[in-house]
Amino acid sequence: MTIEEFEALPSSFIVREVYLRIKRRGFRAERIIVVTTLVDAKRYTVEKLTLLYGLRWSAAEVNLRYVKTTLKMEMLTSKTPVMVRKEIWTHLLAYTLLRTIMWQAVSSSKNTVFQLSFQSTRQQFNLLLTLLATTGKRQQRQWRQLLLEQVATNLLTIRPDRSEQASFETQTETVSSDAGTSLCLES
């Protein structure tokens, strides 16, 4: 952020605190505070914010594992800082390409992108990569459509005891503070 951008920010703003008590199998319950600028409690209910926080876990932690493991980034092979950065950007580009394919696949499916297998998407893409690169435009469209159909049908196996997702149990209580409306979330 530049100095000009920083100085253009307001000197204060209203925030909302949401208290979450997270229970995960095998761990003690943990209490965290989420601070958000989504202050409209009717539009952004505690339940919606709780769901959003749960998705944050998937987006940040689980997807980072996909980049590292599924795209074989546990060990970088580059020796210089410049090449390490290029290698990381290449992996992130591949990740973005695969996630884009997954989003396109669900646009014509009854499933959601969270039900699709990232690893299967990578495998299907790798199988068709040479065909996509070496055929004419009309054939490429057909291969692309086949890829999207295949990706849309490769669903994750439901494993209820997985450790990635924390369970959120909610009860709400509204209190006031100087920072705006605070919603306490306890179970």
Side-chain angles (χ1 to χ4, degrees):
M1 176 181 300
T2 66
I3 293 172
E4 293 81 20
E5 290 172 328
F6 180 77
E7 289 175 353
L9 292 173
S11 60
S12 66
F13 52 91
I14 297 174
V15 297
R16 183 169 135 203
E17 293 177 321
V18 180
Y19 294 83
L20 303 175
R21 184 173 171 165
I22 302 169
K23 290 184 177 181
R24 290 186 290 172
R25 186 182 304 252
F27 295 90
R28 289 183 184 174
E30 180 182 6
R31 184 176 171 182
I32 64 167
I33 301 170
V34 176
V35 180
T36 179
T37 55
L38 303 173
V39 295
D40 184 349
K42 289 181 182 174
R43 183 170 180 193
Y44 304 105
T45 64
V46 173
E47 290 76 20
K48 285 182 181 178
L49 291 175
T50 303
L51 177 64
L52 187 60
Y53 185 81
L55 292 175
R56 177 203 139 279
W57 174 262
S58 295
E61 302 298 330
V62 177
N63 289 333
L64 180 59
R65 183 178 339 132
Y66 287 136
V67 172
K68 289 169 55 179
T69 305
T70 308
L71 297 179
K72 299 178 180 14
M73 195 177 141
E74 293 103 341
M75 295 284 292
L76 299 176
T77 58
S78 301
K79 304 293 183 208
T80 66
V82 169
M83 290 307 292
V84 166
R85 279 191 288 276
K86 287 181 181 180
E87 193 172 348
I88 290 170
W89 279 113
T90 302
H91 280 92
L92 291 174
L93 181 63
Y95 174 82
T96 303
L97 171 67
L98 293 172
R99 284 292 177 191
T100 300
I101 291 169
M102 292 170 74
W103 279 102
Q104 290 173 347
V106 297
S107 69
S108 60
S109 166
K110 66 181 186 318
N111 301 316
T112 68
V113 73
F114 303 109
Q115 295 173 295
L116 300 183
S117 167
F118 184 83
Q119 173 70 343
S120 178
T121 301
R122 185 188 68 81
Q123 291 169 342
Q124 293 294 326
F125 180 75
N126 284 342
L127 286 172
L128 292 176
L129 184 59
T130 304
L131 296 171
L132 288 167
T134 58
T135 57
K137 293 234 184 265
R138 190 169 63 89
Q139 189 65 39
Q140 284 176 349
R141 279 192 291 276
Q142 292 173 343
W143 288 123
R144 182 179 174 279
Q145 186 59 40
L146 176 65
L147 173 63
L148 295 178
E149 289 169 7
Q150 290 294 315
V151 167
T153 59
N154 289 312
L155 303 180
L156 288 171
T157 306
I158 296 180
R159 294 176 265 181
D161 293 331
R162 293 192 64 176
S163 62
E164 293 100 46
Q165 304 255 346
S167 66
F168 300 95
E169 297 179 14
T170 64
Q171 290 180 341
T172 63
E173 169 189 345
T174 304
V175 295
S176 299
S177 72
D178 293 338
T181 303
S182 263
L183 294 177
C184 297
L185 190 61
E186 292 289 340
S187 60

